[in-house]
Amino acid sequence: MAINRQPREDLMRDATAYPRRLLLHHPSCNAIFIGFRNQGGWSVYFGEDPVYQFNAQQKLRRVHFAEQNYAAEQGKLLRLNRQHPQNQNLNQQKPNQQNSGGRIELDRIHDELDEQRVLQDCHTRINALMEWIEQGAVTVADRFPEDCELMAEVAKLLKALASGIVLADSSAV
């Protein structure tokens, strides 16, 4: 998930981190992108926002929701707020900030109500997508590679999340 948000690139064409990918359409959500990583992780994009990224154990690891970035750490969802190092003396760095090579610092903020709001939205959208697939209400707009069948795999992953979303211990893939 990019630190600098820009209008989304063409994920079907450019998202090489996802060697298998699928673009679905539903009347209430025009573009739903699902990408699978080689390591077993996967992501689902409901348009440009929200984006939910899962690891190979089906645990939520990263989120882009309501124009905010989040990362899972030690079973909690932390909002990442960008800080510019030129605005702060490095000796004054707060204990909950991470310095990534001197270029960008991130405040990692845990707000339980915010976490619950994000998790509820994720759960609601995942369940809705599962129902749409079961009802045949989504259409496959594109897939890569063209000869792969991913709908059964998507349905299985969504069904595994139906009972609840579990947070990862780390935001790493």
Side-chain angles (χ1 to χ4, degrees), residues 52 115-125:
Y52 297 103
E115 176 183 276
Q116 291 305 313
R117 182 175 63 105
V118 172
L119 291 174
Q120 181 59 50
D121 184 81
C122 181
H123 183 74
T124 299
R125 287 176 191 271

Side-chain angles (χ1 to χ4, degrees), residues 14-32:
D14 301 331
T16 58
Y18 304 110
R20 297 178 306 131
R21 41 198 185 263
L22 184 65
L23 184 64
L24 303 175
H25 282 248
H26 183 271
S28 69
C29 186
N30 199 26
I32 304 165

Side-chain angles (χ1 to χ4, degrees), residues 80-131:
L80 306 176
N81 284 347
R82 184 177 172 172
Q83 300 295 320
H84 297 282
Q86 65 268 21
N87 296 337
Q88 265 187 22
N89 182 332
L90 290 179
N91 295 330
Q92 297 173 341
Q93 184 171 329
K94 297 176 187 174
N96 65 338
Q97 287 181 330
Q98 177 182 338
N99 185 334
S100 59
R103 290 177 281 170
I104 296 173
E105 295 175 5
L106 298 174
D107 272 337
R108 292 164 143 42
I109 302 165
H110 181 250
D111 177 331
E112 200 166 316
L113 291 175
D114 196 27
E115 176 183 276
Q116 291 305 313
R117 182 175 63 105
V118 172
L119 291 174
Q120 181 59 50
D121 184 81
C122 181
H123 183 74
T124 299
R125 287 176 191 271
I126 292 295
N127 284 337
L129 180 55
M130 184 178 65
E131 288 177 18

Side-chain angles (χ1 to χ4, degrees), residues 24 34 128-138 151 154-155 158:
L24 303 175
I34 303 168
L129 180 55
M130 184 178 65
E131 288 177 18
W132 296 339
I133 290 171
E134 288 173 350
Q135 296 167 355
V138 294
M151 287 300 285
V154 169
L158 297 175

